[in-house]
Amino acid sequence: MSIELVQANVTDAEEIWKMQKSAFAELFEKYKDFDTSPANEPLDKVIMRLRQPFTYFYFIRLNDRNIGAIRVVDKKPSTEPKRISPLFILSEFRNKGYAKSAILQAENIHGALNWELETILQECHLPFI
């Protein structure tokens, strides 16, 4: 089964926020990172990101169901690296290659060069990192 990226907009903020809280809940409990965890972010922060002209939020969709999301920061035509933060997959869909596929699709949309991925290194399970 392949996934597709579907661009989100500000009207999708609450759905992204709820998915994000769910997807990062386990890591929040493990690290108790009140200041930086996406599980602890207010809805307003998601709305603010969706309104940024250089932010591209995509739902990661499988069979017409949103199973995660990826945010790409792309300050075109800047020489700054493009950045992924956050990227998440709901727990029941993990370890199936969907995150890797989402990154590859984001590269197809935004170009394959000059990327950064913000993550907790110990928690990153992508085979090419």
Side-chain angles (χ1 to χ4, degrees), residues 36-50:
T36 61
S37 174
N40 199 40
E41 284 183 355
L43 174 59
D44 290 348
K45 191 162 186 177
V46 174
I47 292 169
M48 181 266 311
R49 286 182 177 145
L50 281 161

Side-chain angles (χ1 to χ4, degrees), residues 111-124:
L113 300 175
N114 204 14
W115 283 89
E116 291 179 350
L117 172 64
E118 288 188 19
T119 188
I120 302 169
L121 184 59
Q122 299 87 329
E123 301 297 337
C124 187

Side-chain angles (χ1 to χ4, degrees), residues 84-114:
I84 295 173
S85 177
L87 163 63
F88 57 87
I89 304 290
L90 296 174
S91 61
E92 61 266 32
F93 298 98
R94 292 183 188 150
N95 301 312
K96 295 176 176 31
Y98 299 136
K100 179 180 178 179
S101 181
I103 290 171
L104 294 173
Q105 287 187 38
E107 286 181 341
N108 286 335
I109 296 167
H110 294 275
L113 300 175
N114 204 14

